Amino acid sequence: MKRCVLFLMILLPMMAAAQRDDFGLDFSVEVEKKINKQWSLELEGELRTRNDAKTNDRWSAGVGLDYKISKWLKASAGYTFLYDNNERISYFQANDDEVIDGDVEIGDPKKCARYWAPRHRFDISLIAAKKLIGDFKFSLRERWQYTWRPEYCVSERWSYYTNAYDGKPKTYHEKGKNVLRSRLQVEYDRKGLVLTPFANIDFFNAWSLQKVRYHVGVDWKLSKQHTLSAFYRYQTVRSDDDDNEPNRHMIGVGYQLKF
């Protein structure tokens, strides 16, 4: 137990260095059914919040299939349905005819559209995991994910300079996006220990580095079938026009059932 506490104390300063941005919560439930020695099926549901946990950000439901290639290598594929609470802002441009009395500067917010809309996500992953230093297990996950956003029409948008809805429809065209996610993780996996602390870093690449997520947390094995998880995440965004997310701190709680 002392080693677990020391492990977390070493990793937490890295997260404390992050600046104060948005804050949210993450709740998830996962059910895993082992089909045979190599195949397993997973179902997962998730709810996220934003705006200092006051606004529902999105909920999702997914299904996945895992295949154990060897003791240290696993492949997986999955589909996730995402239902997002979007908040998209338009900005004034240099040639914008709607500038009122010249008081609004270039780059000031103009109109904001708030709406719920679906997205569809497909992914394929390859995960390698092995104990390399004592009871410390290291893993590398390479994941390709494709997200498709259908075309969606918003009936009206909120105008910042009139403090009213503009009554004009706005269509957001369909869009597809490919992302390569590379996650490096370390966990303290000691036999007989019910608590498994872990930390990881997850890179999102789409021709350039778009965002990075840092995690530190612990899995608590209640029994052979039931596991509770808790984690802290810090997300830093460089450019991400698909998810439309800011830098964010997040606290997450999850439950997993295996049978």
Side-chain angles (χ1 to χ4, degrees), residues 21-50:
D21 295 291
D22 189 24
F23 172 76
L25 298 174
D26 185 303
F27 304 98
S28 64
V29 176
E30 181 182 334
V31 178
E32 179 180 332
K33 169 63 177 176
K34 190 172 183 179
I35 301 172
N36 54 40
K37 291 183 178 181
Q38 291 180 304
W39 292 94
S40 60
L41 180 68
E42 295 180 356
L43 299 174
E44 184 177 12
E46 183 184 33
L47 173 66
R48 294 184 188 176
T49 67
R50 68 169 189 262

Side-chain angles (χ1 to χ4, degrees), residues 195-214:
L195 296 179
T196 303
F198 64 87
N200 64 56
I201 182 169
D202 196 357
F203 299 94
F204 292 66
N205 289 280
W207 302 109
S208 63
L209 182 60
Q210 295 205 323
K211 64 183 175 183
V212 183
R213 286 178 179 171
Y214 305 89

Side-chain angles (χ1 to χ4, degrees), residues 6 26 31 40 55 65-66 113 124 128 159 162 187 202 226 234:
L6 180 61
D26 185 303
V31 178
S40 60
T55 304
L65 193 63
D66 295 343
I124 299 174
S159 173
T162 63
E187 59 184 77
D202 196 357
H226 306 277
Y234 179 67

Side-chain angles (χ1 to χ4, degrees), residues 99-147:
V99 175
I100 298 178
D101 297 328
D103 293 331
V104 182
E105 296 179 357
I106 297 172
D108 283 356
K110 176 185 174 184
K111 297 176 183 177
C112 176
R114 297 183 179 93
Y115 61 98
W116 285 87
R119 287 187 296 158
H120 305 273
R121 177 169 292 168
F122 305 88
D123 64 80
I124 299 174
S125 305
L126 196 62
I127 309 103
K130 195 173 181 65
K131 285 187 177 180
L132 298 177
I133 305 175
D135 293 315
F136 287 95
K137 179 189 288 185
F138 293 82
S139 65
L140 175 64
R141 185 194 69 191
E142 293 292 343
R143 169 175 291 176
W144 164 82
Q145 70 179 33
Y146 174 76
T147 306

